[in-house]
């Protein structure tokens, strides 16, 4: 069951009902809010004789990922480097082009779902553009992505855009509660994952709180000892990305309190007292600057600057805003 995406689902339902199905869609929105589930539901609606009953053989095979006319492509590591960055590979996209040119095996359509389509290089996107420019009949391409700027505009301009919204705290809390999150933690979990409930592996606060604790502990390290501390255990890209998110939300929360916003705006709602203290002792200008600093850090990381360097520079710049 998909919650909170009524607009996207309504648009796709109308397309199926009127038979005006586009050759290509771009499902735009943050990860973990139902993009993939909606894509599979749309594939079921296109391939099921009943328009997506969810119970028939076609629907069940789509859900299980074994329908011959519905294929999900996901990013993979480079063949020669299993630990390398994940990406959709040009071979995958070329192969897709060949298979899209064939007639459907049994259904009225062939549906190709490209998960995390923002993870592809320019040559791969150009290879995909060939298929988009001359779409084979009876083919539907669905690109799932969070960052539209990662793809050339020529690719996106050939897709009908379908927007997915971040979930509200209420919707996210309800979804987590339905996954057996204890009532007393579901709300905080929903806030800390920022409504991206699909990214929460286990319905458990502990991992998220551990990441936050590790990140905030680094804010306390005095500048002279910082380099040494980072050298002890050099952080990888994933950790730095997660920690920057923690800082961003931390200073954003403090800024909300400083601006007199309602407590319901807080992500780190369980740390209200610490945030209020921070908002009380640090000038507003420094909090705003902290948020700016984090935006730059995020861009540097996206731009492939060494993660350890980004983290160190960021922590040094945040020091005036976090100093006790
Ligand atoms: Zn069905």
């Amino acid at each position: 069951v998909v919650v909170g995406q009524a607009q996207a689902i309504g648009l796709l339902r109308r397309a199926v009902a009127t038979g005006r199905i586009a050759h290509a869609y771009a499902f735009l929105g943050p990860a973990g809010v139902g993009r993939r589930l909606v894509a599979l539901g749309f594939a079921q609606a296109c391939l099921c004789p009943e328009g997506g009953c969810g119970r028939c053989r076609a629907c069940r095979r789509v859900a299980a990922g074994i329908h011959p006319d519905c294929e999900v492509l996901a990013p993979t590591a480079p063949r020669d480097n299993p630990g390398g960055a994940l990406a959709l590979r040009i071979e995958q996209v070329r192969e897709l082009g060949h298979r899209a040119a064939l007639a459907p095996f049994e259904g009225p359509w062939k549906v190709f779902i490209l998960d995390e389509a923002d993870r592809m290089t320019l040559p791969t996107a150009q290879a995909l553009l060939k298929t988009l420019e001359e779409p084979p009949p009876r083919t539907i391409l669905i690109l799932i992505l969070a960052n539209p700027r990662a793809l050339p505009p020529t690719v996106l301009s050939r897709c009908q855009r379908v927007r997915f919204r971040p979930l509200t705290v209420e919707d996210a809390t309800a979804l987590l509660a339905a996954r057996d999150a204890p009532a007393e933690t579901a709300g905080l979990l929903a806030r800390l994952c920022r409504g991206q409930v699909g990214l929460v592996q286990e319905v458990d606060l502990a991992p998220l709180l551990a990441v936050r604790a590790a990140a905030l502990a680094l804010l306390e390290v005095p500048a002279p000892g910082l380099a040494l501390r980072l050298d002890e255990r050099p952080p990888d890209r994933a950790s730095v990305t997660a920690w920057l998110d923690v800082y961003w939300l931390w200073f954003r929360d403090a800024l909300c309190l400083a601006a007199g916003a309602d407590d319901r705006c807080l992500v780190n709602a369980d740390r209200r007292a610490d945030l209020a203290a921070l908002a009380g002792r640090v000038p507003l200008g420094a909090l705003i600057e902290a948020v700016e600093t984090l935006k730059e850090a995020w861009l540097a990381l996206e731009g492939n600057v060494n993660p350890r360097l980004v983290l160190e520079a960021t922590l040094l710049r945040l020091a005036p805003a976090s100093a006790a």
Side-chain angles (χ1 to χ4, degrees):
V1 180
V2 179
V3 171
Q5 307 298 351
Q7 206 181 347
I9 294 170
L11 186 154
L12 296 167
R13 283 224 170 100
R14 282 193 298 280
V16 173
T18 59
R20 293 189 186 175
I21 296 175
H23 288 295
Y25 292 91
F27 283 13
L28 289 166
V33 301
R35 301 169 307 171
R36 222 177 101 97
L37 280 175
V38 172
L40 289 172
F42 184 53
Q44 288 176 327
C46 294
L47 298 174
C48 163
E50 307 291 327
C53 67
R55 294 178 304 273
C56 70
R57 187 155 176 267
C59 285
R60 278 185 283 124
R61 281 184 300 158
V62 169
I66 53 172
H67 195 294
D69 292 322
C70 177
E71 201 174 314
V72 180
L73 280 75
T76 59
R79 204 172 295 161
D80 52 357
N81 178 14
L86 301 179
L88 285 168
R89 306 282 152 196
I90 195 161
E91 308 84 55
Q92 288 173 287
V93 166
R94 286 193 182 129
E95 181 62 24
L96 180 158
H98 296 314
R99 280 204 298 278
L102 306 171
F105 287 98
E106 48 185 76
W109 299 95
K110 293 174 308 266
V111 184
F112 296 91
I113 300 169
L114 284 77
D115 206 359
E116 297 188 67
D118 26 17
R119 292 177 182 268
M120 67 171 88
T121 60
L122 188 57
T124 307
Q126 283 159 345
L128 181 63
L129 190 56
K130 282 192 190 140
T131 304
L132 288 170
E133 276 171 346
E134 289 169 34
R138 319 309 295 168
T139 295
I140 305 166
L141 255 58
I142 303 173
L143 278 60
I144 296 178
L145 67 163
N147 176 15
R149 283 173 305 175
L151 290 181
T154 44
V155 167
L156 284 179
S157 69
R158 299 195 176 262
C159 302
Q160 181 173 354
R161 290 172 191 231
V162 183
R163 292 202 177 275
F164 286 73
R165 303 163 173 283
L167 299 184
T168 62
V169 171
E170 289 75 19
D171 281 346
T173 306
L175 279 174
L176 290 166
R179 282 170 60 188
D180 291 333
E184 62 274 20
T185 55
L188 183 59
L189 192 57
R191 287 165 188 275
L192 288 177
C193 76
R194 281 181 290 166
Q196 295 176 281
V197 293
L199 300 185
V200 177
Q201 301 286 333
E202 291 156 47
V203 186
D204 184 3
L205 260 179
L208 286 172
L209 292 181
V211 170
R212 186 177 70 181
L216 294 181
L218 279 176
L219 275 184
E220 312 273 319
V221 178
L226 186 62
L228 201 65
R229 171 76 174 266
L230 293 180
D231 284 337
E232 278 169 19
R233 265 199 304 165
D236 59 12
R237 183 168 293 271
S239 303
V240 174
T241 306
W243 294 344
L244 290 181
D245 263 2
V246 170
Y247 301 139
W248 165 272
L249 293 171
W250 189 251
F251 288 104
R252 167 212 171 272
D253 278 356
L255 205 49
C256 286
L257 284 180
D262 197 287
D263 279 8
R264 281 176 306 179
C265 297
L266 298 184
V267 171
N268 300 282
D270 58 325
R271 299 285 299 271
R272 191 195 183 283
D274 298 305
L275 290 164
L278 178 64
R281 73 172 178 260
V282 174
L284 196 61
L287 291 177
I288 294 172
E289 215 173 293
V291 170
E292 291 287 325
T293 296
L294 289 161
K295 200 159 74 182
E296 284 168 33
W298 181 75
L299 287 174
L301 204 61
E302 287 279 293
N304 258 332
V305 179
N306 175 293
R308 186 203 173 286
L309 288 180
V310 172
L311 181 65
E312 184 174 357
T314 303
L315 287 168
L316 291 173
R317 285 182 62 189
L318 288 178
S322 50

